[in-house]
Amino acid sequence: METSKCIIIGGGPAGYTAAIYASRANLSPILFEGLQPGGQLTTTTEVENFPGYPDGITGPALTDDLRRQALKFDANIQSGIVTAVDFSKRPFEVTVNGTDTYTAHTVIIATGASARYLGLPDEQKYMGMGVSACATCDGFFYRDRSVAVVGGGDSACEEALYLSTIAKKVYLIVRKPQLRASKIMQQRVLKKENITVLFNCNTLGLFGDEVLEGAKIIENQGKENEQVFEIAIDGFFLAIGHSPNTDLFKDSLTLDKDGYIVVQGHTTATNVEGVFAAGDVADPHYQQAVTAAAMGCRAALDAEAYLIEHDDL
Ligand code: NDP
């Protein structure tokens, strides 16, 4: 197969935006979307802060718009999962679905980040039977029931608010004495009658016969007024941040202590010339759809500049 000018790994806002720019620059990019086209946008409810959508837009609809825009400029979007990369060879090798090898002169990594779990054995035990990291996907099952959301950031507040429209009762389990979420989200959560915020609380474990029936909570852990109590819940939703999807790259690229790809200065260049990174996989700080999209744009421009500089490729 002919060597591509540009392969993009990941179908979130960063990947699709990179595809829009790379296509318009005649790089004929191939984009591999992976298992979950849209990435985390598919698990979000209403996106209210993506410029250009004054009335808000759902995550899946925004994904569809970005994807259609990339297709309009003839990006080659494929549903394969990248299972290996070899950046020690030139051109670079990208293996898809374990079997098919593609080669490219530049690679843009936009593999995003995945939801984190607390690491309790009970999370595995009740996975799919009460434990979830996606309220939009699974909230529907909890109509008129009681649920808990863990976390104090924007995601946790968003999930709690969404669930409060379906469930009878929502507990928000927050380990600190305050929420980290933006003020507007805090206000919405604190105003909502069927949401109870449990500040200074951590989850010790989950219980229930076969399906989840409750959680054991510890308040003020290690302090004089420490107390342990139980809440009756049918659903337990994690919203405690994300880990970058960089397993594939840990042997070939420089990662920071949390596993995010390190980019050089104001560019999207990684430590391997010709390999660029964009979006949440390389941005532990902003993690917004719009900043991911912007970084995808920058990665495509960086790839284009690299190819112009290496016009013998
Ligand atoms: P954040 O990192 O902002 O928040 C994670 C939350 O989980 C924090 O409250 C943190 O607590 C808590 N947490 C982490 N680990 C544990 C643990 N082991 N036990 C208990 N609690 C834990 O992640 P988000 O996913 O909420 O947001 C990521 C980014 O995306 C942010 O920039 C956010 O603003 C943005 N975002 C924006 C949205 C919007 O504007 N509509 C929607 C969703 C996300 P602590 O505070 O104590 O560290």
Side-chain angles (χ1 to χ4, degrees), residues 195-299:
I195 301 180
T196 299
V197 185
L198 302 173
F199 287 111
N200 300 306
C201 283
N202 280 298
T203 311
L204 287 178
L206 305 172
F207 56 86
D209 285 337
E210 298 198 8
V211 293
L212 183 66
E213 289 170 16
K216 193 183 248 194
I217 306 292
I218 183 162
E219 186 178 5
N220 299 315
Q221 189 164 16
K223 303 214 174 104
E224 254 177 35
N225 53 349
E226 174 182 300
Q227 59 160 334
V228 174
F229 59 96
E230 290 178 357
I231 52 173
I233 49 166
D234 309 287
F236 185 74
F237 290 84
L238 283 309
I240 58 167
H242 295 85
S243 300
N245 297 323
T246 46
D247 262 10
L248 274 181
F249 316 109
K250 61 179 188 294
D251 297 328
S252 44
L253 298 182
T254 304
L255 308 181
D256 74 8
K257 64 174 184 11
D258 298 315
Y260 289 86
I261 297 175
V262 174
V263 289
Q264 326 272 314
H266 295 298
T267 75
T268 60
T270 68
N271 60 306
V272 176
E273 255 196 273
V275 178
F276 305 89
D280 287 5
V281 74
D283 177 10
H285 188 65
Y286 294 104
Q287 303 199 316
Q288 304 293 304
V290 67
T291 54
M295 206 170 169
C297 154
R298 289 164 54 216

Side-chain angles (χ1 to χ4, degrees), residues 55-120:
D55 301 322
I57 182 166
T58 67
L62 177 57
T63 302
D64 195 48
D65 280 356
L66 291 164
R67 195 173 186 279
R68 282 193 300 117
Q69 199 169 347
L71 286 171
K72 180 176 161 188
F73 299 110
D74 289 333
N76 179 352
I77 299 182
Q78 303 206 8
S79 59
I81 300 168
V82 173
T83 46
V85 291
D86 190 342
F87 295 149
S88 66
K89 291 190 180 141
R90 303 269 166 170
F92 303 122
E93 268 185 23
V94 173
T95 307
V96 178
N97 299 333
T99 50
D100 308 331
T101 302
Y102 293 74
T103 53
H105 295 304
T106 65
V107 174
I108 295 174
I109 299 167
T111 47
S114 296
R116 280 178 25 207
Y117 288 81
L118 291 171
L120 299 171

Side-chain angles (χ1 to χ4, degrees), residues 44 46-49 116-118 150-156 158 173-176 178-180 182 185 201-202 239-242 285-288:
T44 190
E46 197 74 0
V47 181
E48 293 179 330
N49 50 11
R116 280 178 25 207
Y117 288 81
L118 291 171
V150 186
D154 280 317
S155 298
E158 196 181 69
I173 305 171
V174 182
R175 66 179 175 183
K176 288 207 176 124
Q178 73 280 332
L179 294 164
R180 176 202 286 239
S182 51
M185 294 301 268
C201 283
N202 280 298
I240 58 167
H242 295 85
H285 188 65
Y286 294 104
Q287 303 199 316
Q288 304 293 304

Side-chain angles (χ1 to χ4, degrees), residues 4-6 18-30 73-75 300 304 307:
S4 309
K5 287 190 179 143
C6 180
I20 293 167
Y21 274 77
S23 307
R24 288 170 58 87
N26 282 342
L27 303 190
S28 310
I30 305 178
F73 299 110
D74 289 333
E304 185 190 4
L307 288 167

